[in-house]
Amino acid sequence: MRILHTSDWHIGRSFHGHSTLDALRGVLDALVVQVRENDIDLVIVAGDVFDSAAPAADCYRLLTDALRGISDAGARVVVTSGNHDSAARLGFQAGLLRDGIHVLTDPASIGTPVTVADEHGPVHIYGIPFLEPSLVRHLWPGAEVRSQAEALDQAVRLIRSDLAERGGRSLAIAHCFAAGVEPTAGLERDIQQGGLDVVPLAAFDGFDYVALGHIHGRQRLSDAVRYAGAPLHYSFGEADKPRGSWLVDLDADGLAAVTWLALPVPRRLVTLRGRLDDLLAAAEHAEWEDAWVCVQYTDPTPQSDPMRRLLQRFPHCATVMHTPEGSRADDGSTYARRVRAARNDRELIDAFLAHVRDGEGASEREREIIADVVDERIVAEVTA
């Protein structure tokens, strides 16, 4: 059996104010081609199908088209919900979809697998939707369910009990932080509290393969436990992480091989750092003129209208940050002390500029302008 493990589609997510729907559609179309070309039997989508609990109509259309395309390519599909999804809204589609497309969002059905057979016998696929402890603990009154990790542990116990009766090969799908993963800083929505919700790797022992979601970069925790990551880059922090899916081969004895299938990147991402004038003129940056660009300009002082100027060279500049190199030594003088020490209006203005510009006071030309303005003000007050 050939299985394609994908996750974290985040349909409807924006990228610095720009819609990603068209880009994601193109990537998922490429995934459908991979399903057809590699004779995939089953596609697993391990949670965070949508980016929000209330997706727009266009998001539902994209999901429907993608699932229909995978089905038309000859594969069955198993989809579970993640922490970004509304399990109720995602699950609502389950009854409307064609045979062979399974949307698993009901925690009460965790112990019941989707079973797919090949020439070696059955393969049982157990989907675990994202489990919010406060919403599921009533289902298991005899179990201790205070954290997401404990909820998942209870779910796995139910699955193992069912699997012991059925026998055969098995796959588990979960959306969680597993021990040993490296999240993208500031990106994956936190689903751990003080470390309690980190799921130990041993929780997934006994399955032939475990398809995880939630982390946006591919990660291998063991041969049989992996994250596929998101199919599209959703932050500059992901720029160096490849996009794709895991191709999982099962034989009669279980896991036979796992291969990475890369997906196309619609637009590259890059973070450029340097002085603004250099970024606008340097030939070495020409290769990034069609990329998503994050600029960190290092001029000592903020520059005038940097985004407008950058967009003239980098039409897809998404964000600009002023990050001056180094910082001036602190002389121990607070702003209030500098103000009290000012002997005249010119020194008062210079103290303010030094305060808001990381210690850099007025330049020679600025001092001339300040002197002219102050002199004009004095004359106006005297002659009033």
Side-chain angles (χ1 to χ4, degrees):
M1 185 175 294
R2 310 205 85 186
I3 300 155
L4 196 66
H5 166 201
T6 178
S7 71
D8 294 274
W9 289 2
H10 285 279
I11 301 173
R13 189 169 191 143
S14 63
F15 181 78
H16 293 275
H18 301 272
S19 171
T20 62
L21 280 179
D22 288 342
L24 182 58
R25 181 178 291 277
V27 171
L28 293 180
D29 285 347
L31 185 144
V32 170
V33 172
Q34 291 180 343
V35 170
R36 183 177 295 108
E37 291 180 345
N38 291 278
D39 296 323
I40 302 297
D41 300 296
L42 172 69
V43 174
I44 290 171
V45 187
D48 278 357
V49 178
F50 294 121
D51 189 59
S52 72
D58 286 348
C59 299
Y60 283 104
R61 280 193 287 271
L62 176 53
L63 175 61
T64 300
D65 291 345
L67 296 180
R68 182 184 295 116
I70 292 170
S71 179
D72 289 344
R76 301 182 72 168
V77 187
V78 175
V79 180
T80 60
S81 53
N83 59 303
H84 278 250
D85 297 308
S86 162
R89 285 189 172 91
L90 185 60
F92 176 75
Q93 290 207 143
L96 306 177
L97 297 170
R98 67 177 68 177
D99 290 342
I101 299 177
H102 309 272
V103 180
L104 309 180
T105 63
D106 184 4
S109 301
I110 282 174
T112 304
V114 172
T115 300
V116 181
D118 62 8
E119 65 270 25
H120 304 299
V123 176
H124 306 297
I125 300 101
Y126 293 92
I128 306 174
F130 176 72
L131 301 173
E132 178 61 47
S134 62
L135 300 179
V136 299
R137 63 171 59 102
H138 72 280
L139 297 174
W140 311 309
E144 190 75 29
V145 181
R146 294 174 299 177
S147 70
Q148 203 251 339
E150 289 176 340
L152 195 141
D153 187 58
Q154 171 64 14
V156 172
R157 281 199 293 269
L158 295 172
I159 290 171
R160 288 202 176 102
S161 175
D162 181 82
L163 184 59
E165 296 182 8
R166 296 178 188 271
R169 296 162 294 167
S170 62
L171 275 71
I173 311 168
H175 194 88
C176 63
F177 269 123
V181 303
E182 298 178 1
T184 304
L187 182 64
E188 290 95 0
R189 183 178 296 169
D190 191 11
I191 53 173
Q192 52 179 328
Q193 298 174 356
L196 293 177
D197 289 343
V198 176
V199 179
L201 199 57
F204 303 114
D205 289 348
F207 298 101
D208 292 288
Y209 184 78
V210 180
L212 297 179
H214 186 57
I215 301 301
H216 283 203
R218 71 176 184 187
Q219 295 196 37
R220 172 190 171 278
L221 304 186
S222 71
D223 285 344
V225 183
R226 302 179 187 238
Y227 286 94
L232 197 65
H233 289 114
Y234 288 114
S235 82
F236 285 101
E238 300 178 69
D240 61 341
K241 297 180 179 180
R243 306 288 86 170
S245 307
W246 290 114
L247 173 58
V248 181
D249 285 295
L250 298 184
D251 60 15
D253 298 319
L255 185 64
V258 183
T259 309
W260 180 253
L261 291 184
L263 285 168
V265 176
R267 192 180 304 283
R268 295 182 300 167
L269 288 78
V270 66
T271 297
L272 301 178
R273 182 174 174 82
R275 286 182 173 258
L276 186 60
D277 287 344
D278 293 339
L279 295 174
L280 292 170
E284 64 190 87
H285 300 313
E287 64 171 306
W288 303 111
E289 290 176 356
D290 192 45
W292 287 117
V293 175
C294 166
V295 167
Q296 299 174 355
Y297 73 92
T298 60
D299 301 62
T301 59
Q303 299 298 293
S304 174
D305 207 0
M307 177 61 88
R308 180 188 60 79
R309 295 162 63 188
L310 286 161
L311 285 171
Q312 292 176 356
R313 182 176 191 187
F314 305 106
H316 303 286
C317 183
T319 182
V320 179
M321 293 175 280
H322 180 222
T323 56
E325 290 185 337
S327 59
R328 297 179 181 269
D330 186 358
D331 61 4
S333 177
T334 65
Y335 177 56
R337 185 176 299 173
R338 291 172 183 167
V339 168
R340 287 195 298 269
R343 294 168 297 179
N344 52 50
D345 287 344
R346 298 176 190 179
E347 291 186 2
L348 183 62
I349 295 171
D350 189 67
F352 172 75
L353 292 175
H355 175 66
V356 299
R357 301 198 307 199
D358 194 27
E360 182 174 337
S363 66
E364 191 63 36
R365 177 57 183 147
E366 287 172 335
R367 288 194 184 96
E368 294 174 2
I369 296 172
I370 291 168
D372 290 342
V373 172
V374 170
D375 289 345
E376 289 176 5
R377 182 61 184 168
I378 291 173
V379 170
E381 289 178 351
V382 171
T383 58

